[in-house]
Amino acid sequence: QMGARAKLPAEAVKALGKAVANDADVEVRTNAVGALWQIGACAQLPDEALNALVKALSDDQSCQVRDLAAQALGSNCAELPEEVMQALARALSNDKDDVVRRESAVSLGQIGARAQLPAEAVKALGKAVANDADVEVRTNAVGALWQIGACAQLPDEALNALVKALSDDQSCQVRDLAAQALGSNCAELPEEVMQALARALSNDKDDVVRRESAVSLGQIGARAPLPEEFVNALVKALYKDSEWNVRMRAAEALGNLAKCAEIPDAVMHTLVQATKDDDSDVRRAAETALADINAAKQMRSKAEKAMDAS
């Protein structure tokens, strides 16, 4: 508690590291890890303390100690050495305890949102998404890739794991997060990603997954022109989906497409029809989308006239 409020003397932090590594009592080790967690959240831990946390994550017999060590490492405010991320990747891949694997995935996501992860750590997250038997581990691994992909390009293996999760995972929570993760990716995406989102929008039994797939297609289409078949999937969802929230997100997504592409007349017609939808939220979304599309057209027209005049 003192270390969370003020800087502790080096000998006190050293004593905590030694307690983590060597104390025979599991509660002492647990409390010492918790103390280092609090200290590391607001100050840089010395290498000796970090090494003690890494060793606890890798070797401690108590799953409670390993779990807390994983959380402490992910919450550390300082730049971390590669050995920390390697230890978290190993725990994610190999620890027998579901909770330790869950927290290792979360910590890798926290670190990856601040700094570039080693390739093996991202690979471990992709494997966890694809193969872990525990749904919470898969969920947390998808969430971690979402955080990483929002600020750095994901390797093909990780993208493929997210596509597979969206298409095949038995958990609607995992599929929902996979859809969001794919749409939030900062890099240019292969067509297979858009195909998976369009399939989920058209076929997934869960309305939240369909809704988030529509949102993601709109996000992707706001950054680069969306191929016609994926625009058509949004149009189909707008006039055919049984759930108002999916139709609403499809209308919003179609409005987003105007940021970087001309919107075909057929899409405009569908949006006009949607202004008569039974649901007021869908009607408002369609009206807003039409206004956004018309505003984008006017801006493009002004820009073209200005270029011609120059």
Side-chain angles (χ1 to χ4, degrees), residues 3 81 126 170 178 247:
Q170 295 300 303
R247 299 197 304 277

Side-chain angles (χ1 to χ4, degrees), residues 8 10-37 39 46 48-57 59-62 65-66 68-69:
L8 285 185
E11 64 188 82
V13 181
K14 187 175 181 180
L16 287 166
K18 285 186 175 180
V20 170
N22 301 320
D23 203 282
D25 185 83
V26 66
E27 290 302 322
V28 173
R29 298 198 307 276
T30 300
N31 292 346
V33 169
L36 289 177
W37 180 357
I39 296 164
E48 191 171 355
L50 278 177
N51 292 341
L53 289 173
V54 167
K55 187 174 185 301
L57 173 60
D59 299 336
D60 202 282
Q61 295 299 303
S62 165
V65 173
R66 298 196 308 276
L68 283 178

Side-chain angles (χ1 to χ4, degrees), residues 157-240:
E157 190 170 357
L159 278 177
N160 291 340
L162 289 173
V163 166
K164 186 175 186 301
L166 174 60
S167 302
D168 300 335
D169 202 282
Q170 295 300 303
S171 165
C172 59
Q173 183 181 6
V174 173
R175 298 196 308 276
D176 163 25
L177 282 179
Q180 295 182 62
L182 290 168
S184 300
N185 197 276
C186 69
E188 185 177 347
L189 295 169
E191 193 162 302
E192 290 80 6
V193 168
M194 292 171 271
Q195 288 170 342
L197 287 164
R199 282 195 304 271
L201 174 59
S202 300
N203 301 324
D204 201 285
K205 294 178 181 178
D206 187 83
D207 65 290
V208 176
V209 178
R210 298 198 306 277
R211 181 189 74 197
E212 296 303 333
S213 297
V215 171
S216 287
L217 284 171
Q219 290 173 325
I220 295 167
R223 300 193 296 264
L226 205 62
E228 184 180 4
E229 65 181 291
F230 310 127
V231 178
N232 291 341
L234 287 166
V235 169
K236 181 181 176 184
L238 176 57
Y239 74 81
K240 288 194 73 172

Side-chain angles (χ1 to χ4, degrees), residues 75-197:
S75 300
N76 197 276
C77 68
E79 185 177 346
L80 294 168
E82 193 165 307
E83 291 78 9
V84 168
M85 294 168 265
Q86 289 170 342
L88 287 164
R90 285 195 302 271
L92 173 60
S93 299
N94 302 322
D95 202 285
K96 294 179 181 179
D97 188 81
D98 295 346
V99 177
V100 177
R101 298 198 308 279
R102 292 172 195 170
E103 297 303 334
S104 296
V106 170
S107 288
L108 285 171
Q110 291 172 326
I111 296 168
R114 303 191 301 263
Q116 186 172 357
L117 286 184
E120 68 184 270
V122 181
K123 187 174 181 180
L125 286 165
K127 284 187 175 180
V129 170
N131 301 320
D132 203 284
D134 182 78
V135 65
E136 290 300 324
V137 175
R138 299 197 307 277
T139 300
N140 291 355
V142 169
L145 290 176
W146 180 357
Q147 289 177 287
I148 296 163
C151 52
Q153 184 162 355
L154 290 176
D156 289 345
E157 190 170 357
L159 278 177
N160 291 340
L162 289 173
V163 166
K164 186 175 186 301
L166 174 60
S167 302
D168 300 335
D169 202 282
Q170 295 300 303
S171 165
C172 59
Q173 183 181 6
V174 173
R175 298 196 308 276
D176 163 25
L177 282 179
Q180 295 182 62
L182 290 168
S184 300
N185 197 276
C186 69
E188 185 177 347
L189 295 169
E191 193 162 302
E192 290 80 6
V193 168
M194 292 171 271
Q195 288 170 342
L197 287 164

